[in-house]
Amino acid sequence: MKSAVENLNPTRVRLTVEVPFEELKASLDAAYKKINQQVTVKGFRKGKIPARVIDQRFGRGAVLEEAVNDALPKLYTEAVNEAELNPLGQPEVDITELKDGETLAFTAEVDVRPEIEIPDYSGIEVTVDAVEVTDEDVEKSVEQLRERFASTNPVERAAAEGDVVTLDLEAKVDGEVLPDGVAEGVSYTIGSGELLEGIDEAVTGLEAGGEATFTSQLKGGSAEGKDAEVSVKVTAVTAKELPELDDDFAQMASEFDTLEELKADSRKRLANMKQYDQATQAQERVLEKLLELVEVPVPEKLLEDEINTRKHNLVNHQLGQMGLDLAKYLEIQGKTEEEFDAETKEQAVKGIKTQFVLDELVNKEKLNVNQEELTEHLMRRAQSSGMSPDQFAQAVVEGGQVPMLVGEVARGKALAVVVEAAKVLDTNGEVVDLEDEEEEPSDGAAAETAEAVVEGDGEEKAGA
């Protein structure tokens, strides 16, 4: 077999392959065997029909077509390996010559991973938010804990903001009660914004037994998006009672004996969370700076596929779970379809560049992934997917996705190497030493940061 490579552009090549006919013998034998099992010829047992009879009855062309279809994938792979190419996606194959008994020639055009030169990245400098925990932050955290231990008691007065009311609801569209438009005994906290628009105004000021009617656009159900006339009846009004902020509360709500100890622990936890957020922010901003330093051509077909994948995931998964379509989502976001398409393309380009650059860094820095790192990443992915580690691991193995997970961890390690070499300052001008931070993200967390860009998670979240 002879093969040659022509570079069509930095991300696409054309392979020209010539194969002597004798190299097709195994595929020809396999073709005759396959046809033998599929056809019946009077006077011959099934599977024992001579090749000359098959040629006479069904045509040599049918045999050659079967043989070529069998041989092409192996011949293409040989040519790719010989040329040391890194193909992306499926090739476009064109048979240019097929002379029975002489030669098979074909061309294969395919996108390839571009050659990338990683520059010196040690001079990267980024600024991140300073870690500052205010007294207001601590008070808010303690107040949230206090809310969790609140009790409710019936009151004989008009409902007000913050009260928990029990409601019966009935929704009509065009004067007809919707089949799914009746609900009884619905518990609702006034001011939470968790039900229909306009309900807070309707029930505020009503006592138990009071009724009101208002118009609201339905967020889901059989008449989603339509304006409905909603009748609401308040059947009960209860007021929240918060526990006193004292040492008794601290003992009830935590393992601490005093309120001051509880507040000190809240301050420490908030600081740890902000340090973690700060480190994640450093990873994201270092990655952005790194991408600015590297020239990365993006294959057109790969970009097209990535854009389509991102749209599909948004529309069929994220929006589908929320009961929204793309038109409604764009309305909520205040975007035109053109703006959405432009943003999706920009994010897809960034994702592809990120994967190319970090993969090249993995090779350059000779980074490997051990079992412990892979297991840690698997646990993280299982948690985010809502599956148990065993279920997730089984799905990964059965889906042949172990190499994909290994790649994610390796890219995370590559990003961690660049972050370690970068200079990170906070908004106060202080140098941030990420290695000293108690809640420093691991390489596994860096993998999540990188994959969020590669896969688009977090960049085009519904309602974000």
Side-chain angles (χ1 to χ4, degrees):
M1 183 182 78
K2 294 191 302 183
S3 64
V5 179
E6 177 188 357
N7 292 315
L8 303 177
N9 61 47
T11 63
R12 193 166 180 83
V13 299
R14 179 188 290 125
L15 278 165
T16 302
V17 183
E18 292 184 9
V19 186
F21 211 78
E22 56 265 24
E23 292 188 24
L24 296 177
K25 184 179 185 308
S27 293
L28 278 168
D29 291 343
Y32 279 116
K33 185 175 181 180
K34 182 176 180 180
I35 294 172
N36 242 307
Q37 300 300 320
Q38 293 175 338
V39 301
T40 302
V41 176
K42 190 175 181 179
F44 296 97
R45 285 181 297 164
K46 198 172 186 66
K48 299 296 183 180
I49 308 169
R52 59 179 175 76
V53 175
I54 291 177
D55 288 346
Q56 290 169 357
R57 289 293 187 93
F58 306 102
R60 175 71 168 176
V63 179
L64 290 176
E65 182 179 355
E66 184 67 41
V68 169
N69 288 339
D70 176 75
L72 275 178
K74 292 175 281 189
L75 296 170
Y76 166 73
T77 300
E78 279 184 48
V80 164
N81 292 338
E82 187 178 290
E84 297 182 343
L85 299 176
N86 291 308
L88 301 167
Q90 296 300 313
E92 295 179 7
V93 178
D94 182 26
I95 297 174
T96 56
E97 185 177 17
L98 177 56
K99 290 185 178 179
D100 194 358
E102 295 183 27
T103 309
L104 165 67
F106 67 92
T107 61
E109 287 191 18
V110 67
D111 287 334
V112 293
R113 188 179 289 265
E115 294 184 6
I116 299 173
E117 193 68 37
I118 302 294
D120 179 15
Y121 48 78
S122 60
I124 289 178
E125 182 175 319
V126 297
T127 301
V128 295
D129 295 337
V131 173
E132 296 173 344
V133 179
T134 65
D135 290 343
E136 184 180 349
D137 292 332
V138 175
E139 295 300 329
K140 183 178 178 181
S141 175
V142 173
E143 195 62 30
Q144 288 173 343
L145 181 62
R146 191 182 177 205
E147 284 278 348
R148 286 169 50 191
F149 286 86
S151 59
T152 56
N153 294 306
V155 291
E156 294 183 3
R157 59 166 172 77
E161 184 170 351
D163 287 344
V164 179
V165 290
T166 305
L167 307 174
D168 292 341
L169 298 163
E170 181 183 84
K172 294 180 180 179
V173 173
D174 298 329
E176 296 290 330
V177 178
L178 297 171
D180 54 355
V182 177
E184 296 180 349
V186 177
S187 180
Y188 176 65
T189 301
I190 299 177
S192 66
E194 294 174 352
L195 269 179
L196 298 168
E197 187 176 341
I199 197 166
D200 289 333
E201 295 80 358
V203 300
T204 298
L206 295 181
E207 297 184 13
E211 299 182 30
T213 301
F214 63 100
T215 301
S216 182
Q217 188 179 79
L218 299 178
K219 297 179 180 179
S222 60
E224 177 189 350
K226 293 185 177 180
D227 286 339
E229 182 184 88
V230 183
S231 299
V232 57
K233 180 179 180 180
V234 178
T235 60
V237 180
T238 59
K240 279 186 180 180
E241 289 190 13
L242 299 174
E244 292 292 328
L245 276 179
D246 52 23
D247 293 345
D248 288 340
F249 168 71
Q251 293 166 20
M252 173 181 66
S254 71
E255 71 271 29
F256 301 105
D257 293 327
T258 68
L259 182 60
E260 287 309 308
E261 288 175 329
L262 173 60
K263 288 184 176 181
D265 180 70
S266 295
R267 186 179 294 276
K268 181 180 178 182
R269 284 188 298 102
L270 289 169
N272 288 341
M273 289 169 57
K274 290 197 174 189
Q275 285 177 339
Y276 186 93
D277 291 343
Q278 183 190 62
T280 302
Q281 191 179 67
Q283 292 171 348
E284 293 169 348
R285 294 186 177 177
V286 167
L287 177 58
E288 288 178 3
K289 289 282 189 180
L290 176 64
L291 294 180
E292 290 173 6
L293 294 176
V294 188
E295 186 67 33
V296 185
V298 176
E300 290 183 12
K301 182 65 168 61
L302 181 65
L303 176 58
E304 180 185 339
D305 291 344
E306 179 65 15
I307 290 171
N308 290 336
T309 296
R310 288 177 182 241
K311 281 187 177 180
H312 176 83
N313 289 341
L314 175 67
V315 173
N316 294 282
H317 298 295
Q318 296 180 47
L319 299 184
Q321 291 174 359
M322 298 171 65
L324 297 174
D325 59 16
L326 183 59
K328 187 64 179 177
Y329 167 72
L330 293 178
E331 181 184 332
I332 294 171
Q333 294 288 308
K335 296 177 185 175
T336 65
E337 192 166 349
E338 291 73 20
E339 289 171 334
F340 168 75
D341 287 341
E343 288 180 10
T344 303
K345 181 178 180 179
E346 181 182 350
Q347 292 156 6
V349 168
K350 184 177 180 181
I352 292 170
K353 286 185 175 181
T354 296
Q355 183 166 346
F356 284 170
V357 170
L358 294 182
D359 284 346
E360 185 62 31
L361 264 169
V362 169
N363 295 329
K364 179 180 179 181
E365 301 293 344
K366 296 180 172 58
L367 301 175
N368 296 311
V369 176
N370 60 41
Q371 186 60 48
E372 183 180 351
E373 292 165 336
L374 183 60
T375 300
E376 179 193 349
H377 186 59
L378 187 146
M379 300 281 280
R380 287 173 178 269
R381 289 293 299 265
Q383 185 176 18
S384 64
S385 71
M387 300 169 68
S388 72
D390 288 344
Q391 289 174 325
F392 187 78
Q394 183 178 353
V396 166
V397 172
E398 290 177 352
Q401 294 181 314
V402 173
M404 181 193 73
L405 283 190
V406 172
E408 290 176 2
V409 178
R411 284 190 282 273
K413 295 184 73 170
L415 177 57
V417 168
V418 183
V419 172
E420 185 178 351
K423 183 177 182 181
V424 182
L425 301 172
D426 66 19
T427 48
N428 294 328
E430 300 291 329
V431 175
V432 177
D433 188 352
L434 299 175
E435 291 185 1
D436 289 343
E437 298 205 352
E438 192 172 324
E439 293 294 324
E440 175 200 358
S442 63
D443 291 348
E448 290 185 353
T449 299
E451 288 311 304
V453 178
V454 171
E455 297 180 358
D457 296 340
E459 296 222 11
E460 190 60 63
K461 290 292 187 188

